Amino acid sequence: MTQTQNAARYREFKLPDVGEGLTEAEILKWYVQPGDTVTDGQVVCEVETAKAAVELPIPYDGVVHELRFEEGVTVDVGTSIIVVDVAPGTAAPAEPVAAPAPASVAEPAEDEAPKGRQPVLVGYGVAESSTKRRARKTDTSAPEKAAYSASVQAELNGTSTSVQAVEERTRPLAKPPVRKLAKDLGIDLATVTPTGANGVITREDVHAAAAPAAAPDVSRETVTEAPAAPAAPVDLAGTGASAPASREKVTPIKGVRKATAAAMVKSAFTAPHVTEFITLDVTRTMKLVAELKADPDKYGMAGLRINPLLLIAKALLVAIRRNPEVNATWDEENQVIVQKEYVNLGIAAATPRGLIVPNIKDAQAKTLPELASALADLVSVAREGKTSPAAMQGGTVTITNVGVFGVDTGTPILNPGESAILAVGAIKLQPWVHKGKVKARQVTTLALSFDHRVVDGELGSKVLADTAAVLEHPKRLITWA
């Protein structure tokens, strides 16, 4: 079978960009194995990007020939992750699809092939067949380059070895910064035991290899969850005892956690944050929630989840309608402020994979039942880890409900690209002056953080005060809306 026929039979599916500009994803789970039959559109795996977990469908019919990566491996976008035999049952190819054969294995010539130069139609042919020549060129180049690179790396590390010894091992897998670290510490990567995914040597592995040389008399315990970063022994209260490394747990920064960290750093050190607070009596709002729950059919809320967050979201939407300038974003590149005529209301959701902020599109146009339905769908999908990247794009204002954790309030950081975020504290029964008397009332604290480049103090105060006013007197949902 020719190389063209081989390529036509075996189709490689490359990791697509499942988000907007994402560069990598982690393979969470394979739903198929080599030998399984797949059809066009069938989901073959689940990957986690920096924004969400996404299921990937295969665009071919055929039989799975090879899975290029194991679960838990992070793969760059555009890398082949699965090979499908789209013409099963035909003759086997002359060469394997996955990789060339090792250099030490040469293709044997046919038994009946004559040796030496043989006469052809014009002159004499070459001594070897084209098939053998092509295999020799392909099979030897990659190992030779690998051996040469390993030899150079060994020289740089100051641990020169013979060419024969270098050829007997493959080049250690490590990223350039890790190679530089090993060079600086005088560590031969070939002597380091890798603990990273797919046998990749990490910085912690290099430090671990250097630790015995620095302190041979100190035993180093390892953690099964992840390699622990090296640390100098800590004297506990001057007793001479040192804290064992096993008391530390190291968690790789990746996926949603990595994206959240980058977004928060960018926002905190780009947008000048101002946070204002207001404490208010929400007793009437809580009574309205209880009334809607008691007779949902009467208000068209049958089968919908009714909670304080629903009315808080509606109150914020009313405040934005009264103060539309807050629903804007700062465009640094074009030096303009872009005011949105739509509200994509983000709801911060804590998931097993980290914090995500999906948003309800065109929330300003939804009725209370429609908003309740959209909010319930958003939360359930987020908790299942099935939120799509599109659901987290284009947010304009966000609500984060820290009250569910029992805290009074917080100083929330803006979601990048937005100018306001409202933090909702716990609703508690507290003494409150009501109609001239101290009574037990349902009280909460709201905190509004805003981008001071876009929102000045007056505008931010109006938005926060209007939101509180609606929650104190829910009838304003009708009069102000």
Side-chain angles (χ1 to χ4, degrees):
M1 185 178 292
T2 65
Q3 185 175 2
T4 302
Q5 292 173 325
N6 187 44
R9 173 178 173 179
Y10 291 94
R11 304 293 299 273
E12 297 182 346
F13 177 58
K14 298 180 179 179
L15 179 66
D17 181 359
V18 294
E20 297 183 6
L22 298 177
T23 59
E24 63 182 18
E26 177 186 350
I27 298 176
L28 294 179
K29 184 177 182 179
W30 284 108
Y31 295 122
V32 296
Q33 295 297 326
D36 291 349
T37 300
V38 294
T39 58
D40 186 0
Q42 177 180 339
V43 174
V44 295
C45 69
E46 181 182 20
V47 300
E48 182 186 42
T49 68
K51 298 179 179 179
V54 181
E55 293 182 333
L56 298 182
I58 194 78
Y60 317 123
D61 293 329
V63 175
V64 177
H65 178 73
E66 178 187 5
L67 304 181
R68 289 286 172 85
F69 297 94
E70 296 180 355
E71 295 176 355
V73 177
T74 299
V75 182
D76 291 335
V77 168
T79 303
S80 174
I81 60 175
I82 183 173
V83 180
V84 176
D85 184 354
V86 296
T90 59
E95 298 177 358
V97 179
S104 60
V105 180
E107 285 191 14
E110 296 183 2
D111 294 341
E112 60 275 16
K115 306 296 182 181
R117 292 166 58 86
Q118 301 298 323
V120 290
L121 292 178
V122 179
Y124 285 80
V126 294
E128 296 179 351
S129 67
S130 60
T131 301
K132 183 176 181 180
R133 181 172 65 252
R134 182 168 61 252
R136 182 175 66 252
K137 178 180 178 181
T138 302
D139 293 342
T140 58
S141 60
E144 288 176 355
K145 291 179 180 178
Y148 174 75
S149 299
S151 177
V152 172
Q153 183 63 41
E155 292 291 339
L156 291 176
N157 291 339
T159 55
S160 176
T161 57
S162 65
V163 175
Q164 180 180 0
V166 171
E167 291 178 345
E168 290 177 357
R169 66 174 183 262
T170 58
R171 187 167 183 246
L173 299 177
K175 294 182 178 180
V178 178
R179 293 186 179 278
K180 183 178 183 303
L181 174 64
K183 176 186 174 184
D184 295 340
L185 296 177
I187 300 300
D188 183 359
L189 288 178
T191 65
V192 178
T193 302
T195 61
N198 254 14
V200 175
I201 296 175
T202 65
R203 297 177 64 90
E204 289 76 13
D205 297 334
V206 175
H207 282 300
D217 58 330
V218 180
S219 61
R220 182 179 185 274
E221 301 180 23
T222 58
V223 186
T224 57
E225 293 85 357
V234 180
D235 188 0
L236 301 178
T239 61
S242 60
S246 59
R247 297 175 65 182
E248 299 178 355
K249 178 180 179 180
V250 178
T251 303
I253 302 173
K254 58 183 179 179
V256 175
R257 175 66 61 186
K258 182 178 181 180
T260 301
M264 293 300 96
V265 170
K266 178 181 178 182
S267 177
F269 294 98
T270 300
H273 284 56
V274 173
T275 304
E276 294 185 341
F277 306 88
I278 189 169
T279 301
L280 62 147
D281 178 4
V282 292
T283 303
R284 292 185 179 93
T285 291
M286 297 304 292
K287 288 181 178 179
L288 177 56
V289 170
E291 184 177 347
L292 293 174
K293 287 183 176 180
D295 194 358
D297 293 332
K298 179 179 178 180
Y299 301 100
M301 305 284 287
L304 298 177
R305 184 178 181 183
I306 303 169
N307 55 24
L309 180 61
L310 171 62
L311 295 183
I312 293 170
K314 194 64 176 177
L316 178 59
L317 291 171
V318 171
I320 293 173
R321 182 174 181 177
R322 288 168 57 85
N323 306 276
E325 298 86 356
V326 75
N327 190 42
T329 186
W330 179 276
D331 188 340
E332 180 69 28
E333 182 177 354
N334 297 314
Q335 286 296 291
V336 295
I337 294 175
V338 182
Q339 183 175 321
K340 313 295 177 60
E341 296 183 358
Y342 57 89
V343 180
N344 291 344
L345 183 61
I347 304 295
T351 72
R353 297 190 179 99
L355 177 69
I356 63 174
V357 188
N359 59 76
I360 301 172
K361 310 298 183 185
D362 293 311
Q364 83 289 346
K366 297 186 181 298
T367 63
L368 192 63
E370 291 172 343
L371 187 62
S373 177
L375 187 60
D377 291 343
L378 178 148
V379 172
S380 63
V381 172
R383 287 176 177 172
E384 294 173 0
K386 302 297 183 181
T387 303
S388 67
M392 292 183 282
Q393 299 296 322
T396 60
V397 177
T398 294
I399 295 177
T400 176
N401 185 11
V402 297
V404 295
F405 305 110
V407 300
D408 292 334
T409 190
T411 54
I413 297 177
L414 294 166
N415 207 25
E418 301 178 11
S419 294
I421 178 172
L422 180 71
V424 181
I427 299 175
K428 300 178 180 179
L429 196 64
Q430 296 183 14
W432 191 264
V433 177
H434 177 68
K435 296 181 180 181
K437 297 181 179 181
V438 177
K439 296 182 178 180
R441 305 285 288 182
Q442 298 282 356
V443 178
T444 189
T445 300
L446 303 179
L448 182 72
S449 291
F450 50 85
D451 185 344
H452 215 342
R453 297 172 301 177
V454 180
V455 182
D456 57 24
E458 180 185 9
L459 177 58
S461 299
K462 285 182 176 180
V463 172
L464 185 58
D466 284 353
T467 303
V470 172
L471 294 174
E472 286 181 326
H473 300 280
K475 291 181 181 180
R476 286 175 174 152
L477 287 172
I478 302 174
T479 59
W480 285 5

